[in-house]
Amino acid sequence: MPKIAVLTSGGDSPGMNAAVTSVARNAAYYGLELIGIKRGYNGLLGLQDGAEDDIFTMNLDTVLDLADLPGTYLRTARCEQFHDPKVREEAARNLKKLDVVGLVVIGGDGSFRGAQSLCQLGIPCIGIPGTIDNDLPYTEMTLGYDTAVNCDVEAVRAIRATSRSHDRPAVVEVMGRNCGDIALSTAEATGSEIVLVPEMPWSVEEVAVRLKKLVDSGNTRATIVVAEGAYASMKPFDAYSYLSPFGKQVFQGQSMNANLLASTLKHMTHAEARATVIGYTQRGCQPTARDCTFAFEAGNMAVVLLKNGIGNQVIGTRNNRTFHTSIDTALCETRNFKESLYNLINSL
Ligand code: ADP
């Protein structure tokens, strides 16, 4: 029986288990044995001390029980050693020793670079974009993005209810690493009045002016959705002119955070701004139907490609259809940030 393998790598994202289940069901249908590899590329190298066997034959019955669960049953991890070409050669040798004819890698762009290297070493690989960040330009959506946005929308709606009750503005920090898509969609779907993203420069002073204008015109419960990566595009903020207790201190990049932003805005506008950081609930949520349908189709496409001896491909969505393209092409594409939507949200 020909063998294929599957691993999840990088940050976890809702829908990873659904994708592994789809790979397992399709492998069984096409008469392929499926090897599960735990903890990303570490599992290929036996790098995890004391871990149970990280390479194992996957049992379809076990996998079927996991399909709806968030997180990843295969575990996930980063593997620094994989940047070393000699380590990657060892991984390719290990896969060849196991007679694996193809590998499905579920992860983000870093994981895809690892897969690209394995392809060059003779292991056909297929990438499924598993990251909540939606930071892969070749695809309209990544697995977990829709779930993360829905989680944030639910959270912001709840926060806005309390904001309304108490006439308090809210600062809500969402995830997305260097990509502002989660923040943008969350702000759009909840009617939030201000959104801050890493793709666009902004300043605390401008946000304070906009917030003050909203409050003065009667909107005392405005919401500021800030992407976790947005502090990197913030203009340095000299707190001294506004917050003398802080002394002579210029906030820049990671020295700013949601709590500090809320308390700074409170001092500058006299509105009782409060901060919430949504955090890991965005990654550990039950996957939405949209993410699960993508997982179902992506798992099928991955197995069909490998069964036909085709590797070096990644799966994505375009015009709402699941498609595949080469890893090399996918990794060369550049992102097209929705600047007009950003401007619209921040001006209405
Ligand atoms: P993501 O896949 O979510 O983007 P990372 O960027 O942390 O997450 O990458 C996950 C793993 O992929 C890394 O820990 C490493 O094992 C592997 N990886 C990342 N970049 C490369 C690269 N340039 N070459 C080979 N492997 C890489």
Side-chain angles (χ1 to χ4, degrees):
M1 218 188 212
K3 279 185 209 162
I4 61 169
V6 59
L7 61 80
T8 55
S9 166
D12 69 341
S13 69
M16 279 182 161
N17 280 328
V20 171
T21 305
S22 176
V23 168
R25 289 178 66 196
N26 282 279
Y29 179 78
Y30 288 110
L32 305 170
E33 187 177 330
L34 182 63
I35 305 287
I37 294 161
K38 287 201 170 172
R39 301 176 174 84
Y41 294 117
N42 296 284
L44 282 177
L45 301 160
L47 284 176
Q48 198 81 21
D49 282 346
E52 70 271 40
D53 196 2
D54 275 351
I55 298 181
F56 63 104
T57 301
M58 290 195 90
N59 171 319
L60 182 59
D61 202 40
T62 312
V63 177
L64 288 174
D65 284 344
L66 310 167
D68 316 321
L69 299 181
T72 165
Y73 167 73
L74 286 176
R75 310 288 190 271
T76 185
R78 303 207 154 83
C79 173
E80 276 314 304
Q81 293 91 329
F82 219 67
H83 290 272
D84 178 348
K86 287 205 169 53
V87 171
R88 297 198 296 264
E89 279 165 24
E90 188 191 330
R93 267 196 308 277
N94 290 345
L95 283 166
K96 284 176 189 164
K97 261 192 250 161
L98 289 165
D99 291 327
V100 164
V101 297
L103 172 67
V104 180
V105 172
I106 307 173
D109 62 331
S111 305
F112 285 1
R113 285 183 205 285
Q116 187 181 38
S117 305
L118 287 175
C119 290
Q120 286 155 7
L121 294 165
I123 308 289
C125 292
I126 305 292
I128 295 179
T131 164
I132 64 167
D133 301 338
N134 211 34
D135 58 351
L136 293 164
Y138 77 92
T139 177
E140 284 166 0
M141 67 172 277
T142 56
L143 194 58
Y145 170 67
D146 186 64
T147 306
V149 170
N150 276 285
C151 168
D152 287 332
V153 167
E154 201 181 322
V156 170
R157 283 178 180 157
I159 292 163
R160 277 169 82 80
T162 286
S163 290
R164 270 196 298 275
S165 305
H166 289 272
D167 293 310
R168 282 178 189 156
V171 172
V172 184
E173 184 186 291
V174 301
M175 293 178 91
R177 284 216 281 191
N178 303 317
C179 179
D181 283 11
I182 292 180
L184 203 63
S185 293
T186 301
E188 184 183 14
T190 54
S192 294
E193 292 80 355
I194 300 175
V195 61
L196 307 170
V197 295
E199 290 87 347
M200 302 296 292
W202 60 280
S203 72
V204 175
E205 289 88 343
E206 284 159 9
V207 174
V209 167
R210 169 135 170 89
L211 181 62
K212 179 105 180 53
K213 208 169 140 200
L214 287 162
V215 170
D216 289 349
S217 66
N219 184 354
T220 45
R221 75 289 198 224
T223 307
I224 300 160
V225 178
V226 52
E228 64 181 347
Y231 307 116
S233 62
M234 182 190 80
K235 289 181 193 143
F237 172 65
D238 178 3
Y240 185 63
S241 9
Y242 302 97
L243 314 167
S244 43
F246 282 99
K248 273 236 169 285
Q249 195 173 349
V250 175
F251 294 110
Q252 206 168 359
Q254 289 312 310
S255 62
M256 179 55 91
N257 59 48
N259 278 316
L260 197 52
L261 181 60
S263 55
T264 305
L265 291 171
K266 186 174 157 184
H267 276 83
M268 291 168 82
T269 64
H270 305 292
E272 279 281 327
R274 298 291 166 95
T276 306
V277 178
I278 300 180
Y280 274 179
T281 52
Q282 294 158 92
R283 282 185 16 190
C285 260
Q286 185 83 9
T288 57
R290 181 73 195 90
D291 276 326
C292 288
T293 53
F294 178 44
F296 178 85
E297 292 180 22
N300 167 258
M301 197 171 270
V303 174
V304 170
L305 286 166
L306 289 177
K307 175 183 81 74
N308 292 327
I310 301 167
N312 196 21
Q313 299 286 302
V314 285
I315 293 164
T317 64
R318 191 170 285 164
N319 301 323
N320 225 10
R321 298 267 170 172
T322 303
F323 80 111
H324 61 92
T325 184
S326 82
I327 301 185
D328 313 312
T329 308
L331 289 176
C332 286
E333 289 200 24
T334 49
R335 275 189 71 232
N336 192 5
F337 179 69
K338 293 178 182 166
E339 194 173 330
S340 53
L341 176 61
Y342 167 88
N343 288 330
L344 180 65
I345 292 169
N346 282 314
S347 54
L348 280 181

